[in-house]
Amino acid sequence: MITAKNCVARLSRYKSALNRFKTLGFVKVFSDNLADAVGATSSQVRKDFSVFGISGSKRGGYKIDELIEKINNILGKNEVQQVIIVGAGNIGSALMNFKGFEKEGMKIVACFDTDPTKVNRLGNIQVLPIEELKSFVLNNKIKIGIIAVPDNAAPGVMEALLEAGIKGVLNFAPIQLKAPEECVVNNVNIESELENVIYYVNALQKSRKT
Amino acid sequence: MITAKNCVARLSRYKSALNRFKTLGFVKVFSDNLADAVGATSSQVRKDFSVFGISGSKRGGYKIDELIEKINNILGKNEVQQVIIVGAGNIGSALMNFKGFEKEGMKIVACFDTDPTKVNRLGNIQVLPIEELKSFVLNNKIKIGIIAVPDNAAPGVMEALLEAGIKGVLNFAPIQLKAPEECVVNNVNIESELENVIYYVNALQKSRKT
DNA sequence: TAGATTGTTAATCGATTAACAATC
DNA sequence: TAGATTGTTAATCGATTAACAATC
């Protein structure tokens, strides 16, 4: 990996904070403002920007519009990113209807499922049989896929995506998926995120007692 | 924070790996097996266990059943954790129907929404008006809440949860929520996770070209 | 026993923060 | 100009890894 993952994640956060600042009518920000907005230090904001070659003006801070523009470029927002989903269950369906992606220039173009009863070629976003995955990915030059299937099905889906030539995967199955170097995998484990909260709530209560 | 967040997250991963090992008929594991399963080093596995006071037997590794038991205790699995959701939109509804929580001893007991048309007292999991949030939380001694509302509504919901006495929050709104020390917040930003994948796919392609 | 694995300490690595010269 | 903020380097902090004595 070229750039630290946290660093890119913070870039996303800066961007949403900047959009909020813009809504409030701000025109420029200082590293200090951004730091407050995302819960970081001003040093970190400036360091992150320097990593990505973003510069402001000394004494004048950063112009919000320019900053958003630059961050969007870095995050690949100059073109709409076409994304497919595998798995039309709870999570998959929610993501199909999720407004957040569209707003960020990411478009779900199709969903795939093994269950024939879930296939639907008439909807706003088609649900297709898994057999059509490879041809669809090739024909439409899709690079990004989301896995939203149960954990036992996930490794198989990963293989199918790799074989179809997918270059990046966001995985919601509660299993750590691996891929060869040429494919990026980001595992999001919702159960584990909730377990995390529960752990700290309990830990906090225990430490309170002593 | 008492223990590093990554450390707790890995604990969750060890647990699911252990469950898979168990399904395969294994009775004991070595730190090396677990490391392979979750993509860590054996040093790290043993270090993590030592942080939580988990010990195995030299030469004999760890008994899977005991290990699962111990990890479950640490993660608060000795009792079913009751959780509420705020927001019955796409994400909120998916989480209500999500099987993954139940399997892990976490139970969604109610959902709250401002939209009266979404209220439903007859379903398997009730959807209640947001006005009933506080009394429900108090009456049922709920400690954990999930936020699944748009970003502009999220800070208000956070306040309402705090006022109701919630001690831990898992936030899916794309905004970094803050809370006083006595409340734990874990922010999961799905858009940002996908952006992350896109960034690395692009970065990889660029580095390939040079 | 000999060999393999744990548990822990020390070394390394990377990420965050502090500090400050440059400069608007 | 004087004061404030950037950009960057050095210092600090924390997390991961390597190494190895203890021991089953």
Side-chain angles (χ1 to χ4, degrees):
Chain A
M1 293 255 176
I2 307 147
T3 322
K5 201 188 155 195
N6 287 347
C7 198
V8 182
R10 279 196 300 270
L11 214 54
S12 291
R13 291 213 220 102
Y14 296 145
K15 179 170 58 68
S16 21
L18 285 166
N19 283 323
R20 288 196 300 277
F21 278 126
K22 203 183 162 180
T23 312
L24 295 171
F26 285 74
V27 171
K28 62 178 187 178
V29 283
F30 302 117
S31 56
D32 213 37
N33 306 137
L34 273 172
D36 282 348
V38 308
T41 63
S42 62
S43 283
Q44 182 146 72
V45 174
R46 297 196 300 275
K47 184 67 183 270
D48 286 341
F49 286 177
S50 109
V51 166
F52 291 107
I54 294 173
S55 61
S57 69
K58 299 198 183 201
R59 184 76 186 76
Y62 306 82
K63 287 193 189 146
I64 291 181
D65 281 330
E66 284 180 19
L67 204 44
I68 292 177
E69 171 79 12
K70 282 175 187 167
I71 294 179
N72 278 340
N73 269 329
I74 293 166
L75 294 176
K77 295 302 176 56
N78 32 7
E79 52 179 328
V80 172
Q81 300 286 340
Q82 301 201 314
V83 180
I84 59 162
I85 298 177
V86 182
N90 286 316
I91 303 290
S93 306
L95 294 174
M96 276 172 71
N97 299 311
F98 186 43
K99 299 289 186 306
F101 290 147
E102 202 107 8
K103 228 185 330 187
E104 294 297 335
M106 306 181 283
K107 193 168 160 52
I108 307 297
V109 291
C111 184
F112 297 88
D113 205 295
T114 48
D115 182 352
T117 66
K118 292 217 170 114
V119 170
N120 172 12
R121 294 175 194 274
L122 303 172
N124 192 11
I125 299 171
Q126 292 195 335
V127 181
L128 302 171
I130 193 88
E131 291 76 24
E132 296 180 26
L133 174 71
K134 190 171 179 180
S135 62
F136 187 96
V137 167
L138 292 174
N139 291 339
N140 296 281
K141 297 195 175 58
I142 307 293
K143 290 187 293 185
I144 316 284
I146 296 177
I147 297 182
V149 301
D151 58 348
N152 55 333
V157 169
M158 184 74 220
E159 264 183 63
L161 288 172
L162 285 173
E163 211 206 321
I166 285 282
K167 293 279 173 279
V169 169
L170 182 59
N171 170 43
F172 286 95
I175 178 175
Q176 195 82 350
L177 291 180
K178 281 155 223 163
E181 233 186 51
E182 68 268 21
C183 183
V184 176
V185 180
N186 189 359
N187 296 288
V188 175
N189 190 327
I190 295 176
E191 292 102 307
S192 159
E193 297 292 346
L194 188 55
E195 276 178 356
N196 222 282
V197 174
I198 293 169
Y199 172 81
Y200 284 112
V201 168
N202 288 338
L204 212 59
Q205 278 185 340
K206 272 174 211 155
S207 74
R208 197 59 49 80
K209 277 175 198 162
T210 49
Chain B
M1 292 254 180
I2 308 145
T3 323
K5 201 188 154 193
N6 287 345
C7 199
V8 182
R10 279 196 300 271
L11 213 55
S12 291
R13 291 213 220 101
Y14 297 144
K15 179 170 58 71
S16 22
L18 286 166
N19 283 322
R20 287 197 299 279
F21 279 126
K22 201 182 164 180
T23 312
L24 295 172
F26 285 72
V27 172
K28 62 179 187 177
V29 283
F30 301 117
S31 57
D32 213 37
N33 306 136
L34 272 173
D36 282 348
V38 307
T41 62
S42 62
S43 283
Q44 182 145 73
V45 174
R46 297 196 300 276
K47 185 67 185 272
D48 285 341
F49 286 178
S50 107
V51 165
F52 291 107
I54 294 175
S55 61
S57 69
K58 300 198 183 203
R59 184 78 186 76
Y62 306 84
K63 286 191 189 151
I64 290 182
D65 280 331
E66 283 179 20
L67 203 43
I68 293 177
E69 171 78 11
K70 281 176 189 168
I71 294 179
N72 278 342
N73 269 330
I74 293 166
L75 294 176
K77 295 303 176 56
N78 31 7
E79 52 178 330
V80 172
Q81 300 286 340
Q82 300 202 314
V83 179
I84 59 161
I85 298 177
V86 182
N90 286 315
I91 304 290
S93 306
L95 295 175
M96 276 172 69
N97 298 312
F98 187 45
K99 300 287 188 306
F101 290 146
E102 202 107 10
K103 225 184 333 186
E104 294 298 335
M106 305 180 283
K107 191 166 164 52
I108 307 296
V109 291
C111 183
F112 297 87
D113 206 295
T114 47
D115 181 352
T117 67
K118 292 218 168 112
V119 169
N120 171 11
R121 295 176 193 272
L122 303 172
N124 193 11
I125 299 171
Q126 291 195 335
V127 181
L128 302 172
I130 192 86
E131 291 76 25
E132 296 180 26
L133 174 71
K134 191 171 178 181
S135 63
F136 187 97
V137 167
L138 291 175
N139 290 339
N140 296 280
K141 296 194 175 58
I142 307 293
K143 289 187 292 185
I144 316 284
I146 296 177
I147 296 182
V149 301
D151 57 349
N152 56 331
V157 169
M158 185 73 221
E159 263 182 63
L161 288 172
L162 285 172
E163 211 205 321
I166 285 283
K167 292 279 172 277
V169 170
L170 181 59
N171 171 42
F172 286 94
I175 178 175
Q176 196 81 352
L177 290 180
K178 282 154 224 161
E181 233 186 51
E182 67 267 21
C183 183
V184 176
V185 180
N186 189 359
N187 295 288
V188 175
N189 190 328
I190 294 176
E191 292 102 308
S192 161
E193 297 292 347
L194 188 55
E195 274 178 358
N196 221 284
V197 174
I198 292 169
Y199 172 82
Y200 283 112
V201 169
N202 288 336
L204 213 59
Q205 277 186 339
K206 272 173 211 157
S207 75
R208 200 55 52 80
K209 278 176 195 162
T210 50

